[in-house]
Amino acid sequence: MKNKIVLMVIFILCISACKKQDTAIEAPPAPELKASAAAAPVAPAKKPEVPALEVTTYDGKAYKLADHRGQWVVVNFWATWCEPCKKEIPDFNKLDKLRDDVEFIGLAYEEIERADMDAFLKVIPINYPMAILDVYNPPADFDTPVGLPLTYVIAPDGKVASKFLGPVTLEDLEKVIAKPGNENAAE
């Protein structure tokens, strides 16, 4: 008996599915879409050839990149949780001490409490100027980091000589500084 009921239900469902609908529902025509200036894709803003950077360093001093014309400046975006960043710091300390024509500015790109940064600096000291950035308002003249470390080498004339996404070595930095054509950047 169960089999007959099941077969009858299947039969009714099949007939219902095959039955032509008497009332057709028409979809309203799609509205015409017009391009507007506000909705048009916008190309990313071109960064200036000579970037500006003004920050307050961790020790409370004002730092202006423009004040360091005539020297090479390595601008390094980093974070305390970034292992490659931590490996770069001793090398940066070393080069900063060895060369009078090269300076560093470390830009901690993370949300961190001062006590946590103090604890980090006791383990891995930084001997060059460093600032903690507002991750919601990073420096406009530099790309917003999509990965860390992100390092810019600024020539003595203030122009970006090179940009590195990922770890950078002393040899990488020395190559940029010694690159043919860069010797005139100090003039």
Side-chain angles (χ1 to χ4, degrees), residues 53 63 65 73-80 82 84-90 92 103-109 126 128-133 139 142 145 147-154 164-169 173:
L53 175 66
Y63 181 93
L65 184 58
V73 180
V74 178
V75 179
N76 177 247
F77 290 80
W78 67 283
T80 58
C82 167
C85 301
K86 292 191 277 189
K87 289 180 182 176
E88 290 177 330
I89 293 171
F92 291 172
E103 294 186 2
F104 288 79
I105 177 72
L107 302 175
Y109 189 72
I126 295 177
Y128 46 86
M130 184 271 294
I132 298 174
L133 295 181
F142 293 87
L148 294 174
L150 175 62
T151 305
Y152 289 83
V153 180
I154 310 297
F164 297 90
L165 177 57
V168 63
T169 64
L173 297 175

Side-chain angles (χ1 to χ4, degrees), residues 9-21:
V9 170
I10 292 174
F11 177 75
I12 293 171
L13 288 174
C14 287
I15 291 178
S16 298
C18 296
K19 185 177 177 186
K20 183 178 177 183
Q21 295 291 327

Side-chain angles (χ1 to χ4, degrees), residues 10-81:
I10 292 174
F11 177 75
I12 293 171
L13 288 174
C14 287
I15 291 178
S16 298
C18 296
K19 185 177 177 186
K20 183 178 177 183
Q21 295 291 327
D22 294 303
T23 56
I25 300 174
E26 248 180 70
E32 188 176 323
L33 298 176
K34 296 181 181 182
S36 82
V42 179
K46 188 175 190 287
K47 300 299 180 187
E49 190 174 282
V50 178
L53 175 66
E54 293 185 22
V55 294
T56 301
T57 61
Y58 195 65
D59 60 0
K61 297 177 182 174
Y63 181 93
K64 291 184 181 181
L65 184 58
D67 293 345
H68 299 271
R69 296 286 189 270
Q71 295 186 298
W72 291 91
V73 180
V74 178
V75 179
N76 177 247
F77 290 80
W78 67 283
T80 58
W81 48 261

